[in-house]
Amino acid sequence: MARPAESTERTALVALGSELARSHAWDVLIHALQVRLSLDKREGLPELLRHSERQEATGPICDAGRLAAALVGKLRVDGRGALADAMLSLLGGGPIDADPVLWLDEVRGKIATRSEEAATLRAHGRHEIARMVEDTLSLDLRVALRERLCADGRHDLADAVSRAIFAHEARERLGAGTPAPAQPPVPATHDEPAPDVAARWAFADTLGRTHPADVLACALVTRLRAEGRDVLAGSIMMIWARGVAGPIVDPARLAADLVAQLRAEGRGELADAIASLVRGAAIDRDPCEIMAVWLNELAGPIVAPGPLAAALVSVLRRQRRGRLAEGVDGLMSADRWTDVPPPGT
């Protein structure tokens, strides 16, 4: 299946990305990329980029498992199998699931883990917390279904499912006498940005409308690496590659799981509505095919192992897993390969 947005030939991608990186500041480039991703309807990616930017001072917000899997996957596609195996052996001994193969049908794995957690809580008499964990199952499934459908360009079906869910939940609240969720207050006035700031963001907006997302992503990580900001660059690399592929799961099976979960929760009317929407829709995908898209993006010039490792080490240290962080850092430092420098430098 074709990617839902324009893709640039890799030689041209490096040349164009390097030129933009030399010409523009990183904050202009990240704003431009957010604009482009929003125009391309890349579900969730602009928000993840904003969060990554804001969290740079405290370390990336990325999950250690996702960073580890991206690093192992990148090392493998780069032909560095021995280092990938060593990294997998190091990280696999703890709670980090770093093997990319285990991402196949990743959402079902997440749901199974959540169900096991709930069962363990019930076995220890913590029924209320177990119920709260179980209540998140259908939410996880519906978010993943929307992300997968949008990644496949099926925005129409994703929107229809979302509308059905919101309408049903509104009726549920009305029947229970529960008020609608409070909306954040809209400020009566807001300060206008200074003219130079407004002009800067207007220029970034134009830049985002002018260039494809992959060119802007290449330019952004190239600029960050040139400035020595590998942690933020690595976080964005992982988010980018994951966003291109989308959740590694068959959406048809995911929709069936969501319908089954809703029935288990006693929400049969909503289950029937979603089943009716997806019935007959040609949405089946092979998770191996999606995995191949992800690995192909890892093999491209936007993603590099050094920044991925730097981001992973930062997350591990923030989580107080110092020995694992030192192990990752030591393996990368001892490897005979040197990391490829940013394109165009």
Side-chain angles (χ1 to χ4, degrees):
M1 180 172 291
R3 283 170 55 178
E6 182 179 357
S7 179
T8 309
E9 192 274 327
R10 284 181 173 174
T11 302
L13 174 62
V14 172
L16 291 169
S18 299
E19 180 182 350
L20 288 177
R22 287 190 296 268
S23 304
H24 305 295
W26 77 274
D27 58 340
V28 169
L29 291 170
I30 197 170
H31 183 85
L33 179 56
Q34 290 166 0
V35 169
R36 181 74 259 169
L37 291 171
S38 296
L39 291 172
D40 291 345
K41 296 183 178 180
R42 296 284 190 92
E43 191 81 8
L45 269 181
E47 292 74 18
L48 285 173
L49 286 176
R50 290 189 193 98
H51 288 314
S52 291
E53 176 188 357
R54 292 168 185 164
Q55 296 293 322
E56 184 183 17
T58 58
I61 62 169
C62 304
D63 176 78
R66 292 190 186 279
L67 281 168
L71 176 57
V72 170
K74 176 62 176 174
L75 292 172
R76 290 204 189 286
V77 297
D78 282 356
R80 301 165 74 174
L83 179 56
D85 289 343
M87 197 69 69
L88 193 56
S89 176
L90 170 70
L91 296 171
I96 298 176
D97 194 4
D99 190 347
V101 174
L102 299 178
W103 275 30
L104 292 173
D105 225 353
E106 59 170 296
V107 178
R108 291 179 64 87
K110 181 179 179 181
I111 296 301
T113 301
R114 197 71 61 86
S115 298
E116 291 174 5
E117 180 185 353
T120 301
L121 288 167
R122 289 194 186 283
H124 288 83
R126 305 176 69 181
H127 300 286
E128 185 63 25
I129 299 178
R131 186 188 61 78
M132 292 171 64
V133 170
E134 290 170 338
D135 285 348
T136 66
L137 295 178
S138 60
L139 177 60
D140 287 339
L141 287 165
R142 71 196 233 192
V143 168
L145 178 60
R146 179 173 180 85
E147 287 182 356
R148 182 67 261 160
L149 290 173
C150 288
D152 291 338
R154 295 301 307 269
H155 299 281
D156 53 343
L157 183 55
D159 289 343
V161 171
S162 294
R163 284 194 297 270
I165 291 171
F166 294 151
H168 181 82
E169 289 180 342
R171 290 194 296 272
E172 283 184 331
R173 287 193 299 269
L174 183 63
T178 305
Q183 298 298 314
V186 178
T189 60
H190 62 276
D191 296 331
E192 294 292 337
D196 59 331
V197 174
R200 185 178 182 84
W201 298 136
F203 173 75
D205 189 87
T206 300
L207 201 65
R209 295 174 182 278
T210 306
H211 296 282
D214 53 0
V215 170
L216 292 167
C218 184
L220 174 58
V221 298
T222 300
R223 180 73 189 205
L224 289 170
R225 293 184 68 191
E227 294 181 5
R229 301 166 73 179
D230 274 12
V231 171
L232 180 55
S235 175
I236 289 172
M237 288 173 185
M238 189 282 291
I239 290 170
W240 168 261
R242 175 62 162 64
V244 167
I248 302 175
V249 61
D250 173 17
R253 188 173 180 180
L254 189 56
D257 286 345
L258 174 58
V259 168
Q261 179 61 35
L262 289 170
R263 294 197 193 286
E265 295 175 1
R267 306 171 80 185
E269 182 184 346
L270 178 55
D272 290 342
I274 294 175
S276 176
L277 287 170
V278 300
R279 188 177 298 120
I283 60 174
D284 305 63
R285 291 290 305 276
D286 181 353
C288 292
E289 176 192 356
I290 302 169
M291 173 72 81
V293 173
W294 179 68
L295 291 172
N296 182 65
E297 196 61 34
L298 290 182
I302 294 175
V303 182
L308 287 173
L312 176 58
V313 167
S314 178
V315 169
L316 292 173
R317 285 177 175 157
R318 190 183 63 177
Q319 295 176 347
R320 298 184 179 180
R321 297 176 178 176
R323 294 185 65 180
L324 274 181
E326 291 171 8
V328 171
D329 198 25
L331 283 174
M332 294 298 293
S333 299
D335 186 60
R336 64 180 180 85
W337 289 61
T338 55
D339 197 16
V340 178
T345 59

